[in-house]
Amino acid sequence: MQMNINIDYIWRKEMKKILSIIILAVLLVSVVGCGSEEEKMVNIYTDRHYDTDQALYDKFTEETGIVVNVVTAGSDELLERLSAEGEDTEADLIVTSDVGRLYRAGKMDLTKAFDSNTIEANVPEHLRATDNLWTALTVRARVITYALDRVDPNTLSTYEALTEPEWEGRVLVRSSGNIYNQSLLASFIALNGEEEAKEWAQGLVANLARTPKGNDRDQMKALVAGEGDVAIVNTYYVGKLLNSSDEVEVQVGEQIGVFFPNQETNGTHINISGAALTKYGANSEDAIELLEFLTGEEAQNDYASANYEYPVNEAVEPSDLLKSFGEFKVQNIDLSLLGEYNDEAVKLFNEVGWQ
Amino acid sequence: MKIKERGLSPLFVIVTFIIVAIVLPSVFIFIRLFHPVTESWLHIKEYVLADYIRNSLVLVTGVGVITGILGTFFAWSLSKYKWRFELLLESILFLPMAIPPYIAGYVYGGIFTPFGTLDRILVQAGVEPIRIDILSKGGAIFVFSLFLMPYVILISKGFFDKLPKTIEESSRLLGRNQTSTFFRVILPMSRGSLVGGIVLVMLEVLNDYGLVRYFGIPTFSTAIYQTWFGMSDVDGAVRLAASLMSIVIIILLVEQFFRGRGRLSQARAISDRGVKKSASKIYKAVFYVLTFVYLLFSLIIPITQLAWWSSIAKQTNVMRRLGSILFNTISVGVIVTVLVVACGILIGNLNRLNPSIVSKIYARIVILGYSIPASIIAIGVLVTFIYVDRSLSGLYGILDVKNLFLTSSKFILIFALTIRFMAIGFNSIESGFSKMGKKYYEASKLLGRGEWYTFRYVDFPILKPAILSAAILAFVDVLKELPLTLILRPFNFDTLATRVYTYAGDEMIHEASVYSLIIICVSIFALILLSFIRKGTKI
């Protein structure tokens, strides 16, 4: 080994190192550095991650000059972040695609009531919290889809009827970890009591065509493939399937019928996407302005047409696709109860072995 | 000199700081262990925990065994024998790790689902569709193994490459045949690095939540998230995570204990491996077939599927702000990689130069950040940062910055990612240090060279392959990291992985594919860059 070290050579090597350290430092500063923000703005924590939402925020900024800043993540993590940040939080608005999380935010004392005649005019009472702690932005229904070639819709009636012996081995549904299943069962707890809700879950598990797995789209594909005859899914995903850029998915969608259960009884289960003001947000007024915009006709039209969700503003019609499913009677229930009974629903699922 | 070594060396102090930084968020997690036991914990324990743990064990064992055997085979073959297009082959074998397992889950789900790609091909070919149930435990083991194998290959190969040829020669001279040499001599010697790689893979499986949820396999992670999300019981969730963490730490300590006895100090570690030989014909055939099959399932099929999905993605908005997304992703990736490697070297060096019980414990603590689901770490980091911010509020008042200055900056993200992936960097660097010994270090010191000089011109060149492996692993892992980035990011901060989540979380797999492909492209680019560096610095 040669130990003949040229000082000059080493010096040059060191220079290279110093240079790369400088580059790294610059990179660090440019990443970490923060801009000056003196403009009006609304900061949102949201678990809705749709391009349509961003487009609406952009539109709002264009109209009002109020900048909308967004952090998207899971709603439970966001609530935890909001709670940890406490009085110092920068977030003004929390948006979730499940009413249970809005209810939970209220219970954790992270939100405050809004005071706006516009929102009250835009959103019907049953889609707002009674204390105005949250308001819905859009609605989705959890329906029974069936194979058009095999199932006569006249044999369908209620969610409860799916637990009858005739449906044994024919029902498809995703796992109980999914929030929409949880809110469905929570609604049964609220309407019929824990005992009956548990019986329903038990009965449904007994009739499952396979272990719950995959997402809503997968349930519908399995349905058309003949693995089951009915599937419990959200209307939203039926729309997604029918408007897929994949032709085969569209064909799958066309072999599916949508049935609104419990029309003769207590109505079809819905869940909402909604928003609440954070308790310590500094820009509440601008946030309310955004809520007024989002529940207004223009934005509601965009929600309805782009995302296959039902609008909350009654002046706005659902998209043609949703209208083609027909009108339906909505489950008559205080939506906050879905949040209140969520924990219990999860436990019932575990007890009856609904994976 | 002896006295100096016994005292608190600067190295020890720095490493202690790093360790404290790693431990702090976990402390905030462990504190919750002492909160009263909640009702949901009892419920989980009564109804589901046993099942979930069993599922976790099945997955972890299956994936551990498969990646262990195949990964070692690939690593050993690449290291020992001569292959055509060796460098290319090597880089390609690392590539599957650029595809996050949960995306791979969607890909294979999409292939085997009714009306999926396989069905369509079979229908085109006029064959009756067959039903393969990929959304099952077997399917999950298959997918995890495919996309986590590179961790084992990379770390083991780093070790094999530096194994002196003399060991093999001695064994052969003493009458062992090739197979017996490998199993009785090489394998026991390389146990440390092998275990290092497999442990990373197993931890990755253990704290995955995306894939198992889609596949409908409830695991220990499911229990954690069910307690948190489903029953709004954060304390209960943290308790579960903390018990998971304790189990992992115990296992690692036990492993370390056994490893400690079989440790060999390798003074001759840098001796040349000599000219590589060609493998026998049968061996070659087996290697090529296995490589082809592996690459078929881990790269060709998924990339083709992703490319096809990308091509039918609705283009509106998909490419929005791509420039800033790329900048965010790559700059955070580079910074975290540098930090991870630097910390890994410091801790590894301490462990080599001043081995003590403390330094050994340090080395195990590093893995803390990797042993529990990321969302839980995120809470720990968040609480830590808010605590620091609040303590600094006086200073912030003078500087006129906002209250949660650090928490709302990218510092928190970089910090969290660094402690998360410290295990990745450290495990491969440690396997580099472990066979290095300190003879050269001591020789250099005796010749009057300083610490920095010795590191730069003596240790560093020997360590370089291990450092490069660590850098690749860390960088690619940051590229695809999701839970921490999601929850700790500042406003309007998107990375490639968060964009994937945005679409995949909404069952918009076509659009998600676009970003998955970009992640793969960036990883390829990084791998090429690193293989150039490696090639240019052969010693």
Side-chain angles (χ1 to χ4, degrees):
Chain A
M1 222 183 261
Q2 257 189 331
M3 287 303 273
N4 178 10
I5 287 127
N6 182 334
I7 298 295
D8 226 32
Y9 171 75
I10 293 174
W11 178 239
R12 270 213 306 278
K13 281 245 172 183
E14 296 299 313
M15 280 302 285
K16 238 163 70 187
K17 190 173 314 103
I18 291 167
L19 211 67
S20 50
I21 288 172
I22 291 173
I23 291 173
L24 202 71
V26 169
L27 204 60
L28 197 72
V29 169
S30 69
V31 165
V32 171
C34 48
S36 64
E37 296 141 17
E38 283 303 316
E39 54 214 332
K40 282 180 92 174
M41 60 181 168
V42 179
N43 298 323
I44 306 180
Y45 285 172
T46 175
D47 78 340
R48 278 177 60 96
H49 31 70
Y50 312 130
D51 288 343
T52 33
D53 286 30
Q54 188 58 49
L56 279 173
Y57 300 151
D58 290 348
K59 213 180 226 179
F60 175 72
T61 306
E62 215 171 278
E63 282 179 18
T64 61
I66 301 170
V67 176
V68 179
N69 300 312
V70 180
V71 173
T72 313
S75 46
D76 298 280
E77 290 98 325
L78 286 172
L79 290 187
E80 210 47 44
R81 175 164 168 180
L82 200 58
S83 147
E85 288 171 342
E87 289 179 34
D88 294 320
T89 189
E90 287 183 84
D92 302 303
L93 208 56
I94 173 127
V95 178
T96 74
S97 50
D98 159 51
V99 66
R101 299 308 189 269
L102 293 172
Y103 168 83
R104 192 178 289 173
K107 239 184 125 185
M108 291 165 77
D109 198 21
L110 300 172
T111 56
K112 67 182 169 204
F114 55 83
D115 181 16
S116 157
N117 294 332
T118 316
I119 299 175
E120 283 177 23
N122 283 344
V123 185
E125 237 181 302
H126 72 280
L127 295 175
R128 280 184 277 123
T130 41
D131 42 11
N132 274 352
L133 268 183
W134 52 261
T135 174
L137 298 173
T138 63
V139 171
R140 297 162 181 200
R142 197 142 184 85
V143 296
I144 300 174
T145 52
Y146 58 95
L148 280 173
D149 60 343
R150 268 172 282 141
V151 178
D152 176 3
N154 289 322
T155 59
L156 294 166
S157 58
T158 59
Y159 298 109
E160 289 84 351
L162 292 182
T163 61
E164 301 290 335
E166 58 171 305
W167 292 103
E168 196 185 328
R170 298 169 72 189
V171 183
L172 290 157
V173 70
R174 68 195 289 181
S175 69
S176 66
N178 177 254
I179 179 66
Y180 301 121
N181 280 344
Q182 293 171 10
S183 78
L184 180 67
L185 188 58
S187 78
F188 294 162
I189 298 174
L191 288 168
N192 313 324
E194 201 180 317
E195 199 80 359
E196 269 186 51
K198 185 172 176 178
E199 271 168 33
W200 178 80
Q202 214 147 25
L204 202 81
V205 169
N207 282 350
L208 287 181
R210 60 174 191 184
T211 339
K213 60 179 110 181
N215 52 31
D216 273 9
R217 280 193 207 211
D218 290 318
Q219 310 309 320
M220 291 186 273
K221 286 179 188 168
L223 174 71
V224 174
E227 286 186 41
D229 294 325
V230 290
I232 301 175
V233 299
N234 264 15
T235 43
Y236 172 72
Y237 294 111
V238 184
K240 286 259 162 194
L241 205 59
L242 281 167
N243 283 279
S244 171
S245 43
D246 179 354
E247 280 168 36
V248 176
E249 286 199 335
V250 178
Q251 286 165 19
V252 169
E254 284 165 352
Q255 299 177 57
I256 287 171
V258 172
F259 181 83
F260 290 100
N262 295 43
Q263 291 304 292
E264 311 287 314
T265 59
N266 44 20
T268 299
H269 173 68
I270 59 161
N271 200 332
I272 58 153
S273 277
L277 294 180
T278 65
K279 189 171 185 189
Y280 299 106
N283 311 303
S284 295
E285 271 174 37
D286 298 328
I288 290 176
E289 202 177 330
L290 177 60
L291 284 183
E292 292 172 347
F293 170 82
L294 291 177
T295 53
E297 285 187 32
E298 188 189 357
Q300 286 288 308
N301 252 318
D302 287 0
Y303 275 133
S305 61
N307 226 9
Y308 327 113
E309 295 174 285
Y310 289 96
V312 294
N313 190 322
E314 283 167 338
V316 176
E317 295 215 331
S319 63
D320 290 341
L321 175 75
L322 292 186
K323 271 195 282 187
S324 76
F325 297 159
E327 290 191 3
F328 65 99
K329 179 176 149 192
V330 172
Q331 203 173 51
N332 184 18
I333 184 180
D334 173 5
L335 286 172
S336 290
L337 291 176
L338 302 184
E340 197 175 322
Y341 291 119
N342 193 88
D343 303 5
E344 228 167 299
V346 172
K347 288 179 186 166
L348 288 189
F349 277 133
N350 283 342
E351 286 168 25
V352 303
W354 181 327
Q355 279 198 353
Chain B
M1 217 168 135
K2 271 262 168 328
I3 295 161
K4 196 179 155 201
E5 269 180 26
R6 291 206 185 278
L8 285 178
S9 68
L11 183 62
F12 184 82
V13 175
I14 296 171
V15 170
T16 304
F17 264 115
I18 298 172
I19 296 296
V20 168
I22 297 173
V23 168
L24 217 51
S26 308
V27 169
F28 281 99
I29 293 172
F30 271 110
I31 284 175
R32 302 217 194 192
L33 269 183
F34 301 103
H35 291 197
V37 174
T38 51
E39 187 210 343
S40 46
W41 156 251
L42 297 173
H43 169 87
I44 290 270
K45 208 172 84 179
E46 182 178 348
Y47 288 100
V48 290
L49 197 60
D51 267 349
Y52 290 7
I53 289 177
R54 198 171 315 128
N55 286 341
S56 274
L57 283 178
V58 169
L59 293 186
V60 164
T61 318
V63 177
V65 168
I66 293 177
T67 56
I69 293 173
L70 280 177
T72 311
F73 170 76
F74 283 127
W76 176 247
S77 308
L78 280 174
S79 178
K80 181 166 164 61
Y81 297 113
K82 202 162 61 184
W83 304 100
R84 218 173 280 180
F85 309 117
E86 200 169 291
L87 210 67
L88 182 74
L89 204 62
E90 204 175 286
S91 307
I92 289 180
L93 276 172
F94 299 155
L95 257 188
M97 75 181 170
I99 304 175
Y102 79 98
I103 288 298
Y106 282 121
V107 168
Y108 273 101
I111 291 173
F112 290 112
T113 179
F115 307 102
T117 315
L118 182 69
D119 267 15
R120 294 175 203 198
I121 292 170
L122 292 177
V123 166
Q124 287 276 321
V127 185
E128 192 63 20
I130 44 168
R131 187 88 313 130
I132 296 172
D133 187 14
I134 193 83
L135 302 184
S136 60
K137 276 176 224 161
I141 291 175
F142 171 74
V143 173
F144 275 129
S145 300
L146 280 178
F147 298 92
L148 297 177
M149 184 115 60
Y151 290 79
V152 179
I153 302 180
L154 201 57
I155 293 180
S156 300
K157 186 175 177 300
F159 183 87
F160 290 145
D161 277 351
K162 285 287 168 190
L163 217 52
K165 205 176 161 46
T166 44
I167 290 177
E168 235 185 297
E169 281 163 357
S170 317
S171 163
R172 297 298 297 277
L173 274 173
L174 291 170
R176 284 195 188 283
N177 65 18
Q178 209 144 357
T179 323
S180 151
T181 302
F182 178 76
F183 284 105
R184 305 295 296 274
V185 181
I186 306 290
L187 213 53
M189 282 185 68
S190 48
R191 212 186 66 218
S193 68
L194 244 177
V195 168
I198 296 173
V199 160
L200 287 182
V201 168
M202 288 175 146
L203 290 179
E204 192 96 25
V205 174
L206 202 56
N207 63 42
D208 168 85
Y209 184 52
L211 186 142
V212 294
R213 186 168 51 164
Y214 179 62
F215 276 43
I217 308 164
T219 62
F220 200 86
S221 295
T222 315
I224 293 175
Y225 285 113
Q226 195 181 67
T227 312
W228 180 3
F229 299 166
M231 306 182 203
S232 43
D233 178 5
V234 186
D235 278 349
V238 168
R239 171 184 301 277
L240 280 168
S243 41
L244 176 63
M245 200 147 93
S246 320
I247 295 166
V248 170
I249 291 170
I250 291 167
I251 292 171
L252 291 175
L253 285 176
V254 169
E255 189 274 319
Q256 173 78 17
F257 173 74
F258 281 114
R259 195 200 294 188
R261 295 198 307 188
R263 195 164 204 149
L264 292 162
S265 179
Q266 292 282 322
R268 299 207 48 200
I270 48 166
S271 72
D272 195 13
R273 291 263 311 135
V275 184
K276 285 188 186 177
K277 282 187 298 191
S278 280
S280 70
K281 275 210 172 112
I282 299 170
Y283 195 100
K284 261 188 182 163
V286 171
F287 176 79
Y288 279 126
V289 168
L290 277 179
T291 307
F292 175 75
V293 171
Y294 177 59
L295 292 180
L296 181 71
F297 284 105
S298 65
L299 278 183
I300 301 169
I301 290 176
I303 289 184
T304 313
Q305 179 73 57
L306 287 170
W308 176 62
W309 273 341
S310 301
S311 72
I312 57 171
K314 295 193 169 141
Q315 290 303 322
T316 45
N317 264 326
V318 167
M319 288 305 193
R320 197 171 179 271
R321 297 194 302 168
L322 185 62
S324 87
I325 292 169
L326 273 177
F327 176 79
N328 288 343
T329 311
I330 293 172
S331 57
V332 168
V334 170
I335 292 168
V336 172
T337 303
V338 170
L339 291 174
V340 161
V341 168
C343 295
I345 292 173
L346 289 171
I347 302 167
N349 220 3
L350 178 72
N351 223 352
R352 174 181 64 135
L353 299 180
N354 302 326
S356 64
I357 293 178
V358 178
S359 77
K360 278 209 173 122
I361 291 175
Y362 279 5
R364 290 307 103 189
I365 282 178
V366 167
I367 217 147
L368 271 183
Y370 209 65
S371 62
I372 57 175
S375 294
I376 304 285
I377 300 264
I379 299 182
V381 173
L382 198 61
V383 174
T384 312
F385 265 67
I386 289 170
Y387 178 79
V388 172
D389 265 337
R390 296 228 163 104
S391 329
L392 293 175
S393 63
L395 179 70
Y396 290 172
I398 299 167
L399 292 175
D400 193 27
V401 293
K402 50 192 171 193
N403 286 345
L404 295 180
F405 175 67
L406 289 175
T407 310
S408 60
S409 73
K410 284 156 209 151
F411 273 127
I412 188 170
L413 187 57
I414 289 168
F415 176 86
L417 290 171
T418 305
I419 63 169
R420 172 87 173 155
F421 294 124
M422 193 83 82
I424 294 269
F426 179 73
N427 268 24
S428 40
I429 288 174
E430 193 197 27
S431 92
F433 268 125
S434 70
K435 55 190 185 258
M436 205 162 119
K438 38 183 185 178
K439 293 230 159 63
Y440 290 106
Y441 171 85
E442 280 162 356
S444 167
K445 293 299 287 269
L446 270 174
L447 289 168
R449 304 295 175 186
E451 291 281 352
W452 171 249
Y453 181 94
T454 302
F455 173 72
R456 174 65 185 86
Y457 292 102
V458 179
D459 292 344
F460 183 69
I462 306 175
L463 209 54
K464 203 154 185 171
I467 290 177
L468 289 178
S469 312
I472 300 173
L473 283 171
F475 183 76
V476 175
D477 253 318
V478 175
L479 273 193
K480 60 180 186 177
E481 201 285 332
L482 197 54
L484 288 176
T485 317
L486 265 186
I487 189 62
L488 296 176
R489 60 187 164 155
F491 284 103
N492 305 330
F493 182 91
D494 270 314
T495 66
L496 291 172
T498 66
R499 294 299 286 169
V500 171
Y501 160 84
T502 301
Y503 292 113
D506 194 36
E507 305 189 8
M508 292 168 72
I509 191 67
H510 304 155
E511 287 73 13
S513 304
V514 178
Y515 285 94
S516 306
L517 278 182
I518 299 176
I519 291 182
I520 297 170
C521 289
V522 174
S523 308
I524 292 176
F525 185 73
L527 276 170
I528 292 173
L529 203 70
L530 281 165
S531 71
F532 269 121
I533 297 175
R534 188 187 302 206
K535 204 179 173 189
T537 57
K538 277 264 152 74
I539 46 162

